[in-house]
Amino acid sequence: MISKIFHEHNLNILLEERISLTKSKGIDKLSPIKAFEEDEIDFAIVEKKISLKKFEFSPYLELLRIKKRDSLPRMLSIPTARDRVVLLGLKEYLHLHFKDKVNKKLPNSYIRDIKIFQKKNKGKNIYFIKADIESFFAKIDHTLLEENLLKHKLPKYILDLIKKAIENSTVPKNYRVFEKEKYRNSLGVPQGLAISNILSQIYLSSLDESLREKNILYLRYVDDIMILMSSNRINLYTNSLVAELSKVNLKLNKDKSMQGQLDKTPLFLGYKLLDGLISVSDKNIETLIQKIAGKITWLKNCFADPVKKPKWIKTNKRLKEVFIEELNEKITGAKSKTKNYGWLFYFVEMDDKSLLFKLDNVIERMLIDSKLFKKRPDNLKKLVRSYFEIKFNNGGNYIVDYDNIITILQKRQFLLLRGRINSSTMYSDIELEEIFEKYKKKNLKELEQEIGYKYF
């Protein structure tokens, strides 16, 4: 299995399918998009080094990200394009090796569990514990993690590769080479690596096993824990949680943890949990509105400065048509290879339908206030209808399914509709395939990034 995953052919596939459109650069200043387009990485050499157990990671590049004005910045570790591919291969291996141990549930499936629990206990007072682990990734103990991995008979070389990955230095932009060891990591798992989430899942697997009880719903997604119960055993269960965390050298973040009855409306995975109603957090509502506003700003800029208009689009009427097509995809999301993308697909477990009506009205008002539309465009899609199409018709024909765009003729028509090619230019089949795939990957990547929760 190791030789297959780290074969140069599979590594090339991982580069192309997973990160070939991303622009973030590591310490070598080579972006994955350039590495792919210009064939900059010799994966035959990478494969050989891995097989000979001589592969070494380059230092990660430090990226500081501020979440809130009054909070300390969070440090992300950015690997080189080559190392990102190796880490993706390592993640692939861990998923296969721990397929019976690692919970691969998508975030909204946790919300389904909550709804089932609420229905089962209808009429009863439901109590909750919303727990957040303090500095989780930064406090993962390497020795305890290694013991956990060894317990599951992980091959020694894979274990050594993981150790190299998590102990590797994360350096500031203008560091001096002789200072590399100064930045070496002796505690915690660097954030930003493909393997960070799955390692965190493995690290806390014993916690999950010890806290699951009959008649209590225990849910954990990375360091976000939600516990529901129909009897008031909050203090007793919190004490058990604190004790179990201490066994792996972790503790609760008291500022981000809360408990009580569900009328306190705790947040979990971007959802707002009300007593008998599931809605969306204010932050994630704002995220959608900001994305819509960004598209409208793009259109206004194109009207103000024709140079910014896509080169194949000649008239403002045609520009509006293309804008609505792309805006519709922001509203509905999209499908590809049995995977769903977009804001509404993520929040499809909400049942606060009044929110969707309000958001549809907000989008309509934003378009009219832009002065570019006198009324709601007839072909503008709605969140409300999208929600019902997703829930009861698997998206139907209302939501773009890229897997249904199969033939060259269909791809050409789609690209013309989106204003991505010139109707008077003759393109080869290969050119059309390349333009379509690049455009599809870009759109799906943007839809995926709009949520903020990464899957294991």
Side-chain angles (χ1 to χ4, degrees):
M1 185 167 67
I2 296 174
S3 59
K4 183 179 179 181
I5 288 175
F6 293 107
H7 190 280
E8 63 172 303
H9 176 67
N10 190 56
L11 295 175
N12 269 302
I13 290 173
L14 289 173
L15 172 63
E16 179 180 1
E17 294 187 352
R18 302 289 296 278
I19 59 172
S20 63
L21 293 181
T22 58
K23 298 178 181 179
S24 59
K25 300 174 183 177
I27 200 73
D28 61 350
K29 300 180 181 179
L30 175 67
S31 66
I33 190 168
K34 184 179 179 183
F36 174 69
E37 291 177 348
E38 300 183 15
D39 197 21
E40 292 279 348
I41 304 174
D42 190 337
F43 284 116
I45 293 177
V46 174
E47 180 190 356
K48 185 175 181 180
K49 285 185 176 181
I50 290 174
S51 67
L52 294 174
K53 303 177 176 54
K54 293 182 178 180
F55 183 84
E56 297 291 337
F57 292 96
S58 300
Y60 306 135
L61 183 63
E62 174 188 279
L63 174 64
L64 299 178
R65 182 167 291 170
I66 298 175
K67 294 182 73 174
K68 296 179 183 177
R69 181 180 296 180
D70 57 349
S71 65
L72 293 172
R74 182 165 61 108
M75 187 175 79
L76 299 180
S77 300
I78 310 300
T80 62
R82 180 202 68 165
D83 291 355
R84 283 183 70 182
V85 175
V86 172
L87 289 164
L88 283 168
L90 196 51
K91 176 184 175 182
E92 197 172 276
Y93 179 88
L94 289 170
H95 271 290
L96 290 170
H97 188 83
F98 288 93
K99 58 185 176 182
D100 298 325
K101 298 290 181 183
V102 175
N103 187 348
K104 299 178 185 177
K105 290 171 64 172
L106 300 182
N108 55 23
S109 66
Y110 290 79
I111 307 303
R112 280 197 293 275
D113 291 341
I114 290 173
K115 290 166 77 171
I116 292 169
F117 185 86
Q118 286 181 320
K119 186 176 180 180
K120 182 181 175 182
N121 292 280
K122 190 174 181 179
K124 299 179 182 178
N125 290 330
I126 297 178
Y127 301 88
F128 77 91
I129 301 170
K130 170 68 171 65
D132 184 271
I133 301 173
E134 185 177 282
S135 306
F136 175 46
F137 285 97
K139 295 289 179 66
I140 291 177
D141 186 295
H142 290 186
T143 301
L144 292 177
L145 176 61
E146 183 178 348
E147 288 173 0
N148 205 331
L149 294 170
L150 282 170
K151 186 170 63 178
H152 292 99
K153 299 179 181 178
L154 197 70
K156 186 176 184 307
Y157 181 61
I158 293 295
L159 180 60
D160 289 343
L161 203 56
I162 290 172
K163 288 175 66 177
K164 287 180 180 179
I166 65 175
E167 293 174 1
N168 193 30
S169 302
T170 298
V171 300
K173 191 173 182 179
N174 297 314
Y175 90 109
R176 291 172 288 186
V177 176
F178 66 85
E179 292 182 319
K180 187 176 79 168
E181 287 302 310
K182 168 184 167 183
Y183 298 102
R184 195 154 193 83
N185 184 44
S186 59
L187 177 67
V189 171
Q191 293 187 62
L193 308 187
I195 59 172
S196 298
N197 275 1
I198 191 168
L199 288 179
S200 72
Q201 179 81 334
I202 295 165
Y203 188 74
L204 287 183
S205 57
S206 59
L207 172 82
D208 300 337
E209 292 166 7
S210 63
L211 288 175
R212 288 197 175 96
E213 285 187 26
K214 188 178 180 181
N215 300 324
I216 288 178
L217 180 63
Y218 167 86
L219 303 169
R220 181 180 64 81
Y221 188 87
V222 193
D223 59 341
D224 212 351
I225 297 172
M226 176 62 67
I227 301 158
L228 300 182
M229 58 188 74
S230 57
S231 58
N232 192 355
R233 295 175 52 203
I234 289 176
N235 292 334
L236 182 63
Y237 206 93
T238 300
N239 291 338
S240 296
L241 176 59
V242 170
E244 290 300 324
L245 284 173
S246 69
K247 292 178 183 178
V248 286
N249 296 336
L250 297 171
K251 60 183 179 178
L252 289 182
N253 183 333
K254 293 182 180 179
D255 292 336
K256 292 184 178 181
S257 299
M258 61 186 296
Q259 60 188 43
Q261 285 188 238
L262 271 187
D263 54 9
K264 286 189 177 181
T265 63
L267 304 180
F268 186 55
L269 304 180
Y271 282 83
K272 184 186 290 184
L273 308 185
L274 304 164
D275 192 4
L277 184 70
I278 306 292
S279 191
V280 180
S281 72
D282 295 343
K283 177 183 175 182
N284 283 283
I285 294 169
E286 184 181 336
T287 295
L288 176 65
I289 293 172
Q290 286 176 344
K291 292 297 179 181
I292 303 296
K295 289 298 293 183
I296 295 172
T297 299
W298 171 83
L299 182 63
K300 291 172 74 172
N301 289 340
C302 289
F303 266 73
D305 184 359
V307 174
K308 294 180 180 178
K309 189 187 301 181
K311 57 184 177 181
W312 311 129
I313 301 175
K314 304 298 183 184
T315 67
N316 284 340
K317 179 183 177 183
R318 179 74 186 108
L319 181 62
K320 283 185 178 181
E321 291 172 350
V322 170
F323 163 78
I324 293 297
E325 285 293 324
E326 295 198 335
L327 180 61
N328 281 339
E329 195 165 304
K330 293 285 183 190
I331 292 169
T332 67
K335 302 171 68 177
S336 179
K337 295 182 179 177
T338 70
K339 187 174 177 181
N340 303 322
Y341 298 81
W343 189 91
L344 192 54
F345 271 111
Y346 183 91
F347 289 109
V348 74
E349 290 304 321
M350 65 173 291
D351 42 32
D352 183 5
K353 301 175 191 66
S354 64
L355 171 63
L356 298 177
F357 282 103
K358 289 175 186 175
L359 287 173
D360 278 329
N361 289 332
V362 167
I363 294 170
E364 179 180 343
R365 177 50 52 194
M366 289 168 71
L367 290 173
I368 294 172
D369 288 348
S370 73
K371 310 298 183 186
L372 300 176
F373 297 88
K374 293 181 179 178
K375 63 182 183 65
R376 180 187 181 92
D378 294 336
N379 56 340
L380 179 67
K381 293 185 176 180
K382 293 187 175 184
L383 284 161
V384 171
R385 180 175 171 185
S386 301
Y387 172 84
F388 284 104
E389 290 287 349
I390 291 169
K391 289 285 282 187
F392 304 109
N393 196 25
N394 197 30
N397 295 322
Y398 197 66
I399 294 170
V400 172
D401 186 342
Y402 282 98
D403 293 346
N404 291 335
I405 307 171
I406 301 168
T407 67
I408 288 296
L409 178 60
Q410 288 174 324
K411 291 175 181 179
R412 176 180 170 79
Q413 290 172 335
F414 179 83
L415 292 169
L416 284 170
L417 183 66
R418 295 291 180 96
R420 295 293 148 175
I421 58 175
N422 189 349
S423 60
S424 60
T425 299
M426 292 295 294
Y427 297 89
S428 69
D429 290 358
I430 292 175
E431 286 175 320
L432 286 170
E433 287 280 6
E434 288 178 349
I435 297 169
F436 176 80
E437 285 299 318
K438 190 170 183 177
Y439 180 67
K440 178 185 77 172
K441 287 179 182 178
K442 172 181 171 291
N443 286 355
L444 297 179
K445 189 72 177 175
E446 287 179 0
L447 288 172
E448 193 171 44
Q449 290 173 337
E450 285 170 10
I451 304 305
Y453 286 91
K454 291 187 179 292
Y455 304 149
F456 291 123

